[in-house]
Amino acid sequence: MSVYETILVEIHDKVGLVRLNRPKALNALNSTLLGELVAALQILDADTSVGAIVVTGSERAFAAGADIKEMVDASAVEMLLRDFISQIDGIRSIKKPVIAAVSGWCLGGGNELAMSCDMIVASDTARFGQPEINLGVIPGAGGTQRLARTVGKAVAMEMVLNNRTLSALEAQQFGLVNRVVPVDCYLEEALSLAAEIANRAPLAIRFGKDAINQAFETFLADGLADERRSFYFLFSTDDQQEGMQAFIEKRDPEWKGV
């Protein structure tokens, strides 16, 4: 496993775990951290022994935002040329399910990072927000777009325009979070969820994730067409035959990923 400066990587059976590791900066996202995170996710994505991935921070902060020190003196042209924020887009290309395990502050770029993952398990201490308005800017890594699609226009407006933060329970109520658990077991819960998914049919998981993202990111007609193509394709796989035969025979399937 590679050696990193700002993250820690572990393997838990079939689950890869990536920890953001800038504790003095509350895991603020800088170009180094984002680059290492995406690189680690790509390595885990290519590892056939890994079926799902969890990204987490610390109990105090998942990530408290972007590292303002990297941006404070930058001009518009410099920001455009650096374009380090677009590294978050690399998470979208990961084919395996990615679950964010969030505790404490999840703000700005941290919230955008969590929303770039496929699911969020939150501790009851988690707080979600987009406070960029306090800096005279707006979210730049998908915050306005993903928030509006997830929590709805009205709540997204209040979060982006007036720095409203959501508690973990509010985030669950608005559909931003899958589940909320006590802080002492939020990571365990995320790893357990990832392990359950990792034990399912790998190709079906991959196509299912892609189809849902299509529904989230494209027009309905395009998403439906893509879903149908993937559904039919899966009938050419050994896992489909095994899954249906196991169902008929009332036994657990043995997935091969082919």
Side-chain angles (χ1 to χ4, degrees):
M1 191 66 68
S2 301
V3 177
Y4 300 102
E5 178 184 340
T6 61
I7 63 172
L8 301 171
V9 180
E10 305 167 15
I11 302 293
H12 295 252
D13 195 13
K14 294 182 180 181
V15 177
L17 173 63
V18 182
R19 298 178 187 264
L20 310 184
N21 188 38
R22 297 188 70 209
K24 293 182 180 179
L26 294 180
N27 294 327
L29 307 179
N30 61 12
S31 54
T32 300
L33 188 153
L34 289 174
E36 291 187 343
L37 172 62
V38 173
L41 291 176
Q42 290 171 341
I43 291 171
L44 292 169
D45 202 29
D47 187 340
T48 56
S49 69
V50 172
I53 304 167
V54 173
V55 177
T56 193
S58 66
E59 286 188 7
R60 186 181 178 193
F62 176 74
D67 194 333
I68 305 304
K69 293 179 180 178
E70 281 197 338
M71 299 182 283
V72 62
D73 295 321
S75 68
V77 172
E78 287 171 336
M79 288 296 292
L80 176 65
L81 294 176
R82 292 179 194 172
D83 198 27
F84 76 90
I85 294 177
S86 67
Q87 291 173 297
I88 289 182
D89 297 340
I91 299 172
R92 174 64 179 83
S93 68
I94 302 302
K95 298 177 178 64
K96 294 171 182 173
V98 182
I99 300 171
V102 175
S103 184
W105 297 112
C106 185
L107 304 175
N111 192 45
E112 290 170 308
L113 171 58
M115 289 192 294
S116 296
C117 298
D118 301 306
M119 288 167 270
I120 301 175
V121 173
S123 82
D124 51 13
T125 67
R127 299 286 301 189
F128 300 85
Q130 298 288 161
E132 289 88 350
I133 197 71
N134 294 337
L135 303 174
V137 294
I138 66 171
T144 61
Q145 302 306 296
R146 289 191 173 95
L147 262 184
R149 286 167 168 78
T150 303
V151 304
K153 175 184 174 181
V155 176
M157 283 286 188
E158 196 171 357
M159 293 177 71
V160 172
L161 304 186
N162 201 37
N163 190 27
R164 176 179 175 178
T165 60
L166 301 182
S167 68
L169 290 177
E170 287 176 318
Q172 184 180 37
Q173 173 189 346
F174 292 125
L176 182 62
V177 164
N178 291 74
R179 57 190 70 172
V180 178
V181 297
V183 66
D184 59 357
C185 64
Y186 78 98
L187 182 55
E188 179 183 346
E189 183 76 11
L191 289 170
S192 176
L193 174 60
E196 290 179 11
I197 294 170
N199 281 311
R200 300 189 184 278
L203 287 176
I205 289 292
R206 174 175 171 175
F207 280 99
K209 167 177 171 168
D210 187 63
I212 293 169
N213 280 331
Q214 289 291 330
F216 191 73
E217 298 169 0
T218 63
F219 292 108
L220 177 60
D222 295 332
L224 288 172
D226 187 75
E227 176 191 69
R228 199 148 301 158
R229 284 192 295 270
S230 296
F231 176 73
Y232 292 145
F233 171 80
L234 287 169
F235 277 77
S236 70
T237 67
D238 290 348
D239 276 353
Q240 173 269 326
Q241 296 178 35
E242 167 66 8
M244 293 190 176
Q245 193 63 40
F247 177 82
I248 292 171
E249 296 173 3
K250 301 185 186 305
R251 60 175 174 83
D252 292 332
E254 297 181 6
W255 306 119
K256 299 178 181 177
V258 294

